[in-house]
Amino acid sequence: MEILTHPNPVLSDRAGEIDPATDPGLRSLVRKMAEAMYENQGVGLAAPQVGIQKRVIVFDIDEELGAICNPVITECSEETEVDEEGCLSVPGINVPVERAISVVCEGLNLDGKRIVLEAHDFLARVLQHEIDHLDGVIILDRLTPDQRKAAIREYNNRAAAE
Ligand code: ZN
């Protein structure tokens, strides 16, 4: 599966909720998303990044593949942290993004069963990043106007150099 990159307008759209029980293509979509994520050494991927406007994310930060449908952050810590973040849809650059240190994420597994995930630190960051994609938000949108300008300049220079 091809991963869409900025400034593809699909990355700015809001993806729709899905019903795992009545979505026959879901398992194959998740398998292909996982393949694309591993191939590109990513730690997470959201369906809109492969052009599918469904609220599905996959992630793997400790050699265990996770997938959540319709993920929602239901709680997040007041404490935040700024750290460098990259994105397969904005390849080649890392930018400082502020995220909650801990979150509770609720959603559905591939069988349509409700799941609740308590995540801290890096996993919390990955979940917030991937759920942003479902709302059409990418890391560049999390920057101040000045940071954004500098990041886009760096991104365009890298793309031009390739
Ligand atoms: Zn991303």
Side-chain angles (χ1 to χ4, degrees):
M1 284 190 135
E2 199 197 331
I3 295 178
L4 306 182
T5 56
H6 175 75
N8 192 309
V10 171
L11 294 170
S12 308
D13 286 345
R14 187 187 184 276
E17 266 80 18
I18 62 155
D19 179 357
T22 60
D23 195 322
L26 179 61
R27 276 167 203 281
S28 128
L29 170 65
V30 164
R31 198 170 50 239
K32 287 180 192 158
M33 284 171 61
E35 269 168 30
M37 173 178 76
Y38 291 129
E39 255 171 42
N40 292 280
Q41 279 91 46
V43 290
L45 196 71
Q49 291 181 274
V50 291
I52 307 290
Q53 291 299 10
K54 294 181 177 179
R55 300 186 83 79
V56 183
I57 62 171
V58 298
F59 50 93
D60 184 344
I61 66 159
D62 50 12
E63 293 177 1
E64 196 182 337
L65 179 64
I68 310 181
C69 308
N70 306 336
V72 176
I73 303 282
T74 53
E75 278 176 53
C76 64
S77 63
E78 271 178 36
E79 202 183 341
T80 61
E81 189 174 49
V82 176
D83 203 356
E84 295 282 308
E85 230 171 81
C87 177
L88 294 178
S89 292
V90 196
I93 65 165
N94 288 295
V95 295
V97 182
E98 183 175 12
R99 303 280 188 193
I101 285 179
S102 304
V103 298
V104 175
C105 176
E106 294 189 34
L108 303 174
N109 68 11
L110 299 185
D111 297 317
K113 261 183 81 179
R114 178 144 288 281
I115 47 175
V116 179
L117 196 61
E118 243 181 78
H120 308 280
D121 304 315
F122 190 52
L123 178 58
R125 177 171 293 276
V126 170
L127 291 173
Q128 291 169 84
H129 176 119
E130 299 313 330
I131 291 171
D132 264 359
H133 276 299
L134 304 181
D135 294 324
V137 173
I138 61 172
I139 49 176
L140 298 173
D141 303 320
R142 291 276 178 203
L143 303 176
T144 65
D146 281 349
Q147 287 175 324
R148 185 186 162 94
K149 225 180 272 172
I152 288 176
R153 196 177 310 127
E154 190 189 348
Y155 176 68
N156 289 339
N157 285 343
R158 289 201 175 223
E162 264 173 21

